[in-house]
Amino acid sequence: MSSDKKKVRVRLVDLYYFWLQRVGNEAIVLFDEFLIQIRHVSKLPVVLSSTYFNVSAALMTPSKWKLGFVFDFFKLVLGLPLLLILFGVISLVVAAAGTVAAFAGFRNQEEYSFKEKMFGWILPILFIVFAPSILSDVSLQKVGHVLIFTILMIGVDFLFGRCGIPPFGHAAFVLIGAYFTAWFVGGAFGFSVPFGLSIILAGFCGGLIGLLLALPAVRVKDVHLSIVTLSFGTMLPLLLKSKYLAELSGVKDGGVQVKALALPSFLGGMRLEAYKFYVVAIFFICLLTFAYNLIRHSQIGRAFQTIKWDVEIAGSLGVPVFKFKLLAFALSAFYTSCAGGLLAVYTSFISPESYTMHDSINYNIALMFGGLNSLLGASIGGIFLTMEPELAFKIGLFIPKAQQFLYAITGAMMIFLLYFAPHGVAGVIVSTLRKKFGSKVQRGSNYKAPPPDYDLLAARKLPRTSRYLEGPKHD
Amino acid sequence: MTDLGFWIACTVDGIATGFIYGLLALSIVLMYRTCKLFNFAQTSITALFMIFASNAAVKNNGVLVSIVTLLLGLIGGVLLHLVVMRRITENKDRSHATEALAIFGLMAVFEGLANFFFGDAPLPYPSLFVDGTLKISEFNLSYNSIGVACASIFVILLVGVFFRFTYIGLLSEAVAENILAARLRGIRASNILAIAWGVTGMVGVFVGILVSPVTFVWPGFLVPVFGSSLVAVVMGGLESPVGAVLCGILVGVVENLAANVEVLGTELKYVAVFLLLVTVLTLRPRGLFGRSDMRRV
């Protein structure tokens, strides 16, 4: 019976293929079914899904050559990130959390490590990169509108949140940005500019006009600036409709048709909605990064904070208050005009009645809802601006005249928010996150005294020797 | 164009409109002096009350409905302060910005309510004055304009007398000067603010009653008037009632003259008003009658 004790040598390679073909097979089959379900709901780009199907087919057949198992291992390793990416829901949730962490600043800035800061930025960027593969056209357009309105809210926030001046006429700057973009792209001035450059140029034109507007009004009182913007906002649509600018503003036809965005040839297979979304997303990321760095990491941002804190003391500390108020207004006008240009390019149509005084007040209310003086609040304000009309429409299907009633309810909610959450929704989010995850360092008014029977030595696991009981020897 | 009579008629028309602007500017200045707030909700609240009044005036006497609406405006203003603004004003965490933002919320609420109660077409409202025109040599002045001007002057004088020669007016001046010091002296500043809100509401409703026979009642019918009055307030100096009224007349005249100039046209009269505002602010930043800002450090 000595032949019974034959050792069966199992090769590791065989185990590997065994695992691959049993467990991996099941996982891949399940995931294929999941993908098929998703394709009914949203549109995946053909390239990405066909790549994935190629990978899964390749994964299931072992290579025939000697070192093939190495190659299969790398295929599996490369296939895993694709699996992660295509699980769109998880990435959305994580991206949202990362955004909140990056913008909420619920710990002091110096307590973040570099990796944590990058974590906050990379996931929103991942979301933006892969959103067109997950969402349908309609949802994608909504997300694009949210991004554009966030830029608009950042523009309004420069005045409202960081200087305390509610601007009442910023729909006028949206109109200016949109019309200048339309004129630059359409060649109304004799030369035609590519649309990316025209949006930036329109932003600069709007900023210049804002600067000229702010010059007479900022010298004594901030409240003068609000009134000047109010009359400017009233005046501008009428100016566009008047006979001097009628042929440029296209009043007879109802508006100006902006030349539609065309897909450049090197991006052959992408759908048009995805291309427009990527354009908007690139502008959004650049402008957001610029605003973030300006506010958090630059002298200009610190000057704004000082001016907001107390104007006279800022002046006595050497901050040139007048120049910085002008700069705040010019930045605000620049951002708002860029948002207007993006809107013109995104929706391909602009008319003098597109953005009225009612919209200006809406921007103030939306920013107030989101939270002043924060970028997260600007994002929430952008979501509010996009969601409000369609929420009103959906409720209006059930209740007649619901849109106006929703406006009244929004106003009432605003007053409640002022009483209970004076820093808006962003303030609520930041304060709850601070309480849960914030640093427990007790500074100033946060000091919580220990209970009288608190045994420090037992808590710190220190011995009861004379060193700890008698106290320090010097006084 | 060179007809002097035409321009004089335009100016007189402008003065009539200017009195309305001055009246509304007076109420804005009163609110700003006592509460340091601009009452942007005024248009919406007045529009809501005027919609109710128009619906009531179909069957009832116009003057009676007007008086009832005035009283409603007074009571509404007082209630608005007591119910809403006082909680926000006396909240521990509040800043001046939150009070200003509460006005936005109120504006949204009342605009929504006004749109909700508004039907389809602008509603008519009976005029307080007799129809017809008065002919002086070659000018035509409608009785409505004369009545509006006289009523405005009367109310402006009434408000001036109230704030200057009565005890409550004295207390209001004290609160406007320094609310903390007034509180320390034993003045119930909250009640004074309620009175200021009530007076502002009443004057706003009165302006609505004067304006609505001409421009019918719809939820935004006071918005252009309010815009011009705000410009007048800023031009006249934010804390000066005299400046507000005089600049209101000035804005009315300039608007009417600019509307009749052939080059600009009716749409660009706002451009003229805007340019006037910018010029005044450039040349005299504190307003024509304003005081320069002083702060004790």
Side-chain angles (χ1 to χ4, degrees):
Chain A
M1 296 298 262
S2 60
S3 60
D4 291 344
K5 294 197 178 169
K6 242 197 246 162
K7 279 190 194 160
V8 176
R9 286 188 68 188
V10 179
R11 291 192 305 170
L12 261 167
V13 183
D14 291 333
L15 270 180
Y16 172 72
Y17 279 118
F18 179 78
W19 174 80
L20 186 63
Q21 285 186 330
R22 295 294 186 285
V23 175
N25 213 355
E26 300 288 330
I28 286 167
V29 163
L30 273 177
F31 194 66
D32 283 350
E33 286 185 1
F34 174 73
L35 270 182
I36 291 170
Q37 293 302 318
I38 285 189
R39 284 183 99 173
H40 287 304
V41 172
S42 72
K43 289 187 188 158
L44 291 172
V46 176
V47 172
L48 201 57
S49 56
S50 65
T51 311
Y52 178 71
F53 283 125
N54 288 337
V55 166
S56 66
L59 280 177
M60 287 203 271
T61 56
S63 311
K64 295 281 189 266
W65 42 291
K66 238 188 185 176
L67 288 175
F69 65 94
V70 176
F71 185 59
D72 288 331
F73 180 71
F74 276 115
K75 275 195 291 185
L76 193 66
V77 164
L78 284 177
L80 275 178
L82 276 175
L83 286 180
L84 279 178
I85 286 161
L86 287 171
F87 270 109
V89 174
I90 298 175
S91 74
L92 275 177
V93 169
V94 176
T99 319
V100 169
F103 294 151
F106 54 86
R107 281 184 289 172
N108 290 317
Q109 276 297 312
E110 53 269 15
E111 293 180 23
Y112 282 122
S113 67
F114 179 75
K115 267 191 276 186
E116 279 171 321
K117 287 186 201 172
M118 285 300 112
F119 180 81
W121 279 107
I122 281 177
L123 287 174
I125 292 179
L126 264 184
F127 163 66
I128 284 174
V129 167
F130 289 108
S133 54
I134 305 165
L135 299 169
S136 63
D137 273 349
V138 176
S139 323
L140 201 61
Q141 201 168 38
K142 270 186 241 168
V143 176
H145 272 290
V146 167
L147 294 183
I148 299 178
F149 281 130
T150 307
I151 299 176
L152 181 64
M153 288 286 106
I154 294 176
V156 177
D157 184 51
F158 269 118
L159 277 183
F160 203 1
R162 303 187 197 280
C163 295
I165 308 165
F168 292 123
H170 268 223
F173 285 110
V174 173
L175 270 182
I176 286 177
Y179 265 106
F180 270 108
T181 312
W183 293 336
F184 284 136
V185 164
F189 296 135
F191 55 91
S192 172
V193 179
F195 67 91
L197 194 61
S198 67
I199 292 177
I200 302 276
L201 271 180
F204 274 115
C205 290
L208 198 65
I209 294 179
L211 196 68
L212 290 173
L213 199 66
L215 271 173
V218 179
R219 265 189 287 166
V220 181
K221 272 192 197 239
D222 292 336
V223 79
H224 288 190
L225 192 58
S226 308
I227 312 297
V228 169
T229 52
L230 179 80
S231 47
F232 182 67
T234 318
M235 181 194 88
L236 193 79
L238 296 173
L239 191 70
L240 280 172
K241 281 194 277 192
S242 75
K243 56 180 192 256
Y244 294 111
L245 290 173
E247 72 273 9
L248 275 178
S249 68
V251 177
K252 289 191 304 299
D253 318 319
V256 169
Q257 195 82 22
V258 183
K259 203 166 68 174
L261 274 180
L263 214 54
S265 50
F266 62 87
L267 286 172
M270 211 189 276
R271 26 190 244 273
L272 183 64
E273 264 317 309
Y275 175 65
K276 287 194 336 187
F277 178 75
Y278 280 136
V279 164
V280 167
I282 288 172
F283 267 100
F284 169 73
I285 290 176
C286 295
L287 287 172
L288 186 72
T289 321
F290 180 70
Y292 178 74
N293 284 325
L294 191 77
I295 288 159
R296 290 272 175 97
H297 301 300
S298 78
Q299 282 185 341
I300 298 179
R302 282 197 290 271
F304 284 150
Q305 283 171 14
T306 320
I307 293 174
K308 185 180 163 71
W309 173 49
D310 194 318
V311 178
E312 280 96 356
I313 291 184
S316 71
L317 283 173
V319 175
V321 172
F322 177 56
K323 285 186 196 162
F324 274 114
K325 280 188 188 168
L326 283 182
L327 183 66
F329 200 83
L331 272 172
S332 169
F334 172 71
Y335 267 80
T336 317
S337 306
C338 281
L342 279 171
L343 274 169
V345 159
Y346 207 59
T347 57
S348 302
F349 184 76
I350 199 74
S351 83
E353 277 106 19
S354 308
Y355 302 104
T356 59
M357 285 302 298
H358 186 253
D359 284 307
S360 297
I361 313 277
N362 244 9
Y363 301 152
N364 289 331
I365 290 180
L367 186 63
M368 215 175 86
F369 177 79
L372 296 173
N373 205 13
S374 76
L375 290 174
L376 180 66
S379 326
I380 295 176
I383 296 176
F384 176 81
L385 274 179
T386 328
M387 287 294 135
E388 196 204 355
E390 50 170 272
L391 198 67
F393 180 70
K394 282 195 180 130
I395 297 181
L397 293 175
F398 297 111
I399 313 170
K401 292 195 121 183
Q403 188 187 23
Q404 293 93 8
F405 211 61
L406 190 73
Y407 199 55
I409 292 178
T410 316
M413 199 173 52
M414 217 64 58
I415 301 180
F416 277 124
L417 268 183
L418 272 181
Y419 188 60
F420 294 109
H423 298 286
V425 175
V428 171
I429 293 176
V430 166
S431 54
T432 47
L433 284 175
R434 245 182 218 158
K435 275 192 207 135
K436 287 205 160 143
F437 304 111
S439 68
K440 304 288 189 296
V441 173
Q442 299 179 2
R443 287 183 192 175
S445 58
N446 289 342
Y447 178 67
K448 289 198 217 21
D453 53 349
Y454 181 66
D455 191 1
L456 180 74
L457 293 178
R460 301 279 174 110
K461 298 188 183 62
L462 294 167
R464 290 188 172 273
T465 56
S466 64
R467 179 197 182 128
Y468 299 111
L469 288 173
E470 283 172 8
K473 294 185 192 65
H474 58 277
D475 48 351
Chain B
M1 277 289 277
T2 54
D3 187 9
L4 188 62
F6 174 68
W7 289 116
I8 294 182
C10 284
T11 315
V12 169
D13 242 342
I15 292 179
T17 330
F19 272 116
I20 298 186
Y21 292 155
L23 188 59
L24 195 57
L26 183 68
S27 78
I28 297 172
V29 164
L30 286 172
M31 174 72 91
Y32 187 74
R33 287 188 77 183
T34 45
C35 312
K36 302 290 180 289
L37 290 170
F38 282 113
N39 192 7
F40 290 106
Q42 189 64 50
T43 49
S44 319
I45 301 173
T46 312
L48 185 67
F49 284 139
M50 289 310 293
I51 288 174
F52 292 148
S54 296
N55 287 328
V58 171
K59 299 241 181 78
N60 304 319
N61 188 10
V63 179
L64 198 65
V65 168
S66 302
I67 293 177
V68 169
T69 321
L70 278 174
L71 287 174
L72 266 182
L74 179 67
I75 296 172
V78 171
L79 275 178
L80 211 57
H81 173 77
L82 289 180
V83 169
V84 176
M85 292 304 295
R86 191 162 63 165
R87 290 180 199 214
I88 295 173
T89 311
E90 292 169 9
N91 195 12
K92 185 171 56 79
D93 295 325
R94 62 121 183 124
S95 60
H96 185 64
T98 46
E99 297 166 10
L101 297 176
I103 304 267
F104 277 121
L106 279 177
M107 186 176 70
V109 168
F110 281 102
E111 191 174 330
L113 285 177
N115 274 316
F116 189 71
F117 286 111
F118 181 62
D120 301 313
L123 303 165
Y125 191 79
S127 169
L128 288 178
F129 313 105
V130 183
D131 284 332
T133 54
L134 182 72
K135 291 179 80 67
I136 303 177
S137 60
E138 61 212 24
F139 307 131
N140 288 332
L141 274 180
S142 65
Y143 283 139
N144 196 34
S145 299
I146 299 178
V148 157
C150 291
S152 306
I153 297 176
F154 176 65
V155 172
I156 289 170
L157 288 175
L158 198 69
V159 168
V161 161
F162 172 74
F163 277 99
R164 224 179 139 131
F165 295 112
T166 61
Y167 183 59
I168 300 182
L170 184 66
L171 298 183
S172 308
E173 293 285 316
V175 166
E177 185 83 23
N178 191 338
I179 190 166
L180 190 59
R183 278 207 164 107
L184 284 172
R185 291 287 294 167
I187 299 173
R188 301 282 171 92
S190 186
N191 296 343
I192 301 291
L193 289 176
I195 291 173
W197 269 87
V199 168
T200 314
M202 193 160 76
V203 171
V205 166
F206 188 66
V207 168
I209 291 173
L210 289 180
V211 167
S212 52
V214 176
T215 72
F216 293 112
V217 175
W218 45 283
F221 79 105
L222 266 189
V223 171
V225 182
F226 188 76
S228 301
S229 307
L230 211 52
V231 165
V233 164
V234 169
M235 273 203 311
L238 281 172
E239 304 217 345
S240 150
V242 172
V245 171
L246 288 178
C247 285
I249 300 173
L250 182 67
V251 164
V253 167
V254 166
E255 223 180 67
N256 217 14
L257 286 177
N260 286 319
V261 172
E262 284 297 317
V263 176
L264 293 177
T266 41
E267 282 156 356
L268 293 187
K269 61 183 179 182
Y270 297 112
V271 176
V273 171
F274 174 72
L275 286 176
L276 179 68
L277 172 70
V278 165
T279 316
V280 167
L281 281 183
T282 314
L283 296 175
R284 197 174 152 95
R286 53 187 135 112
L288 291 173
F289 290 85
R291 310 185 283 205
S292 47
D293 232 3
M294 285 187 299
R295 192 175 109 158
R296 294 231 174 87
V297 183

